[in-house]
Amino acid sequence: MHGIGRSKGGRTTKIHLVTDGKGRPCVMAISPGNTSDHKAARQCLAAMPAAREVIADKGYDSASLRQWLAERGTVPVIPPRSNRKVQYEYDKRLYRERNVIERTFNRFKDFRRIATRFDRKLKTYMAALCIVAAIIWWL
């Protein structure tokens, strides 16, 4: 499998990333671009010890993920999608900390190979992501 799926933007890949408070990557996963974000979130978060809060964007909004996080004793800081019937409350002040994750993604995309995905094979692309993650930890 190449980890590439068709979405509105064409043939794409999604990188799912769990970082610590300093923006250092801890868990990475790749999924095809046409899959929902919340499906990969559970796998990524299960690889980490339970945290007090999980900050994520609207793509990770799902009732099953919220329930799973509550069972772990984690508070989801995820804004609800606009078409959701039940609009959940979330800590908007804490949600501003999500910029740490966005800055980490920008560091990954400083490497042209990651931003453009020249690699055909999923293993090769993941290896490049791991090398970049090690560089980010190092710096």
Side-chain angles (χ1 to χ4, degrees):
M1 186 170 143
H2 299 294
I4 298 174
R6 289 197 181 276
S7 67
K8 290 180 184 177
R11 297 170 51 87
T12 59
T13 299
K14 289 183 184 177
I15 301 170
H16 303 277
L17 189 63
V18 178
T19 65
D20 62 5
K22 296 179 181 177
R24 298 177 298 196
C26 298
V27 178
M28 292 184 297
I30 300 173
S31 68
N34 57 349
T35 60
S36 296
D37 290 339
H38 64 86
K39 291 180 181 178
R42 191 180 225 170
Q43 294 172 343
C44 291
L45 292 171
M48 296 286 294
R52 279 182 297 182
E53 299 101 9
V54 168
I55 303 171
D57 64 0
K58 290 181 181 185
Y60 293 94
D61 179 32
S62 77
S64 62
L65 180 62
R66 286 179 185 275
Q67 181 182 2
W68 182 75
L69 288 171
E71 289 169 3
R72 288 185 78 178
T74 302
V75 177
V77 182
I78 305 170
R81 292 187 178 140
S82 59
N83 62 351
R84 182 181 268 286
K85 289 181 182 178
V86 177
Q87 292 290 315
Y88 291 103
E89 293 293 320
Y90 66 100
D91 188 349
K92 292 180 177 150
R93 188 178 53 80
L94 187 58
Y95 184 70
R96 290 186 199 147
E97 295 296 317
R98 197 174 76 78
N99 75 71
V100 173
I101 298 166
E102 294 300 324
R103 287 190 316 228
T104 304
F105 273 110
N106 288 336
R107 282 191 212 138
F108 271 94
K109 291 182 179 182
D110 284 343
F111 295 83
R112 186 170 161 235
R113 181 177 192 153
I114 302 300
T116 56
R117 178 143 187 204
F118 290 133
D119 302 307
R120 288 182 142 195
K121 302 228 181 233
L122 185 62
K123 279 199 273 187
T124 310
Y125 187 59
M126 188 63 173
L129 282 172
C130 290
I131 290 169
V132 172
I135 291 170
I136 290 171
W137 266 87
W138 187 27
L139 301 175

